[in-house]
C-alpha cells in the first residue's frame, strides 16, 4: 500500500492559481524528493497533505485514510518538520523531545527509550546545552527527532537542507536515509544534488503541476541523449572527425557532443572504425538530475 496518495490537487489564492493538478504517490520505506523552484507550491502542497489548508479540488490519502481540511490525519501517521521549526529555547534536546512525546500520549517508559534512540539517530545524544544556543543544522536535526517521536508512517520535511552549509546538509541527508528504515520520507527541495544522493523516487513540480513523478531509474531511462566525449590517440586526427561531425566541439583536445543519441554514437564509432582512427577513450556521460529536470520541464 502507498503511504501517501496525492491526486490532482488544486489550489488558488485569490485569482492566483498555485496548484493546478498535483499528483504523486509514495510507497513504504521510500525517500521521496519533492522538487520545485522557489514559489513552485511545495509548502502549499505539504500543508494540504497535513490537512492544514483547504484545497479547491483533488484527493489526498495518508495510509488509505482520506485527508480533509481541519482534520489532521490520524495522529501517528504523519510527522512534520516545517521549513522554519520553532522550539522552546530554554529547554535542552531531551527535555524538548520528552515534552513532545508526552503531548502525543506516549508512556513514560516508551518515551525514555525513544528519546535515547532518536537523539542518537540525529547525533544530539551527547548534547547538554539549551536549544537557544543551537546552530541551524542542530535545530533541523532536533526537528527531525521531534517529528519521528511517535513513530509516524510518513515523515514530511519542508526544505530541511536549504539553509544549511554542505556539512550540515550531509548530516541531514544521512539522517533521512537512516530514517527510511522506520518510515517513508517526503522532503521538498530545490537542491537537485541532495535528491540525487538519497531519493529513490521524485516528483517535479512546475507551473503548478507535477510534470514528472516516478523512480530515479525511470528518469534515467527517459534521458537517452546525453553527452559523449572522445579522446583520440593522435591529436592530428581531430580535424577529420570534426569535419565529419559538425555538431561536435573541440574542448582542449577532447571532442565532445553536448547531447548525442545512441544512433549518433553508433555513427561516430562506425566513422572511426572505417577511417582507422585510433581511440584512447570514448565515454558516455551519465545524465545528472539537473539535465533530467531541464528535459522534463522542457527548458
Ligand atoms: N496564504 C497564501 N496567500 C497567498 N499566496 C500564497 C499563500 N501561500 C502561498 N502563496 C503563494 O503561493 C506560491 C507558492 O508558495 P509556496 O507553496 O510557499 O512555494 P514553495 O514552498 O515551493 O517555495 C507563491 O507564489 C506564494 O506567494
Ligand atoms: Mg516552501
Amino acid at each position: 500500500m502507498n503511504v501517501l496518495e496525492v491526486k490532482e490537487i488544486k489550489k488558488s489564492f485569490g485569482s492566483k492559481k498555485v496548484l493546478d493538478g498535483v499528483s504523486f504517490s509514495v510507497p513504504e520505506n521510500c525517500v521521496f524528493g519533492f522538487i520545485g523552484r522557489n514559489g513552485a507550491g511545495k509548502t502549499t502542497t505539504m500543508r494540504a497533505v497535513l490537512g492544514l489548508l483547504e484545497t479547491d479540488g483533488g484527493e489526498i490519502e495518508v495510509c488509505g485514510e482520506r485527508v480533509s481540511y481541519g482534520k489532521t490525519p490520524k495522529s501517528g501517521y504523519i510527522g512534520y518538520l516545517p521549513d522554519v521549526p520553532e522550539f522552546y529555547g530554554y529547554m535542552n534536546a531531551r527535555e524538548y523531545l520528552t515534552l513532545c512525546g508526552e503531548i502525543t500520549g506516549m508512556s513514560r517508559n516508551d518515551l525514555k527509550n525513544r528519546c535515547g534512540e532518536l537523539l542518537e539517530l540525529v547525533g544530539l545524544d551527547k548534547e547538554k546545552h539549551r536549544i537557544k544556543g543551537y546552530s541551524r543544522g542542530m535545530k533541523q536535526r532536533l526537528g527531525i527527532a521531534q517529528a519521528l517521536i511517535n513513530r509516524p508512517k510518513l515523515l514530511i520535511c519542508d526544505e530541511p537542507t536549504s539553509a544549511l552549509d554542505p556539512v550540515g546538509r550531509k548530516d541531514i541527508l544521512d539522517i533521512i536515509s537512516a530514517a527510511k528504515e522506520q518510515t517513508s520520507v517526503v522532503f521538498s527541495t530545490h537542491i537537485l544534488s541532495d535528491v540525487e544522493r538519497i531519493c529513490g523516487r521524485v516528483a517535479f513540480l512546475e507551473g503548478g503541476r507535477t510534470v514528472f513523478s516516478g523512480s530515479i531509474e525511470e528518469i534515467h531511462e527517459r534521458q537517452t541523449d546525453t553527452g559523449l566525449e572522445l579522446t583520440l590517440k593522435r591529436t592530428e586526427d581531430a580535424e577529420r572527425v570534426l569535419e565529419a561531425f559538425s555538431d561536435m566541439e573541440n574542448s582542449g583536445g577532447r571532442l565532445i557532443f553536448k547531447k548525442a543519441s545512441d544512433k549518433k554514437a553508433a555513427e561516430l564509432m562506425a566513422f572511426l572504425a572505417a577511417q582507422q582512427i585510433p581511440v584512447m577513450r570514448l565515454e558516455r556521460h551519465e545524465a545528472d538530475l539537473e539535465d533530467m529536470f531541464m528535459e522534463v520541464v522542457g527548458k
Side-chain angles (χ1 to χ4, degrees):
M1 187 183 67
N2 285 326
V3 175
L4 173 63
E5 288 277 1
V6 174
K7 292 179 206 152
E8 284 295 309
I9 58 169
K10 295 184 165 49
K11 176 71 187 177
S12 296
F13 292 107
S15 59
K16 186 173 177 188
K17 211 178 243 177
V18 173
L19 305 180
D20 188 24
V22 173
S23 303
F24 60 93
S25 49
V26 180
E28 280 176 300
N29 300 96
C30 168
V31 180
F32 191 97
F34 191 44
I35 305 164
R37 50 186 107 193
N38 289 330
K42 301 182 293 298
T43 299
T44 305
T45 304
M46 291 181 153
R47 289 172 50 79
V49 169
L50 290 157
L52 298 173
L53 180 93
E54 191 167 20
T55 58
D56 304 330
E59 268 180 42
I60 301 167
E61 279 183 10
V62 174
C63 299
E65 193 182 314
R66 181 88 181 259
V67 175
S68 48
Y69 172 57
K71 209 174 126 235
T72 310
K74 212 186 264 176
S75 74
Y77 282 163
I78 303 191
Y80 176 47
L81 175 66
D83 44 3
V84 187
E86 302 268 357
F87 304 96
Y88 296 116
Y90 61 87
M91 291 184 170
N92 67 31
R94 187 176 291 272
E95 287 165 350
Y96 182 73
L97 276 191
T98 304
L99 172 70
C100 295
E102 280 168 356
I103 290 170
T104 63
M106 291 171 76
S107 77
R108 194 165 283 261
N109 246 347
D110 186 19
L111 187 52
K112 191 158 180 276
N113 294 334
R114 187 68 180 150
C115 283
E117 221 171 87
L118 287 172
L119 288 171
E120 199 179 321
L121 174 77
V122 301
L124 291 173
D125 46 330
K126 309 243 161 28
E127 184 56 54
K128 299 275 183 283
H129 291 101
R130 290 166 191 239
I131 299 167
K132 67 178 177 199
Y134 280 17
S135 66
R136 274 183 168 176
M138 290 164 81
K139 283 186 181 161
Q140 290 290 14
R141 285 189 272 143
L142 177 59
I144 293 179
Q146 168 261 309
L148 287 172
I149 190 88
N150 61 340
R151 303 183 178 85
K153 295 260 191 318
L154 176 65
L155 170 65
I156 294 187
C157 301
D158 196 355
E159 306 231 21
T161 59
S162 296
L164 304 181
D165 62 32
V167 176
R169 275 172 46 208
K170 182 175 183 304
D171 288 343
I172 295 291
L173 295 176
D174 288 347
I175 292 166
I176 288 177
S177 286
K180 188 177 86 164
E181 300 299 318
Q182 33 181 307
T183 182
S184 285
V185 187
V186 175
F187 81 94
S188 67
T189 187
H190 59 270
I191 306 170
L192 294 169
S193 58
D194 284 356
V195 172
E196 216 149 35
R197 271 153 83 167
I198 61 166
C199 293
R201 299 180 75 82
V202 299
F204 291 129
L205 186 62
E206 175 74 13
R209 300 185 59 81
T210 29
V211 289
F212 174 85
S213 149
S215 67
I216 296 280
E217 291 81 39
E218 281 170 66
I219 306 187
H220 276 286
E221 280 162 22
R222 275 175 74 122
Q223 181 84 13
T224 51
D225 295 4
T226 61
L228 187 68
E229 184 176 319
L230 169 68
T231 312
L232 299 172
K233 204 163 177 183
R234 298 189 305 244
T235 46
E236 60 268 30
D237 290 331
E239 213 159 298
R240 267 197 291 160
V241 179
L242 289 169
E243 246 165 52
F245 294 89
S246 57
D247 45 345
M248 237 182 168
E249 291 165 24
N250 190 346
S251 165
R254 296 167 304 140
L255 306 184
I256 293 173
F257 280 118
K258 284 213 173 99
K259 268 174 186 261
S261 60
D262 286 340
K263 184 162 170 278
K264 181 70 89 179
E267 278 168 25
L268 176 65
M269 286 188 273
F271 176 81
L272 295 168
Q275 301 284 318
Q276 299 201 351
I277 297 176
V279 170
M280 283 287 282
R281 204 163 63 98
L282 180 63
E283 189 184 25
R284 186 61 122 170
H285 292 176
E286 198 172 335
D288 63 13
L289 208 59
E290 183 113 18
D291 297 332
M292 299 173 200
F293 182 70
M294 291 306 170
E295 179 163 311
V296 173
V297 166
K299 302 223 166 89

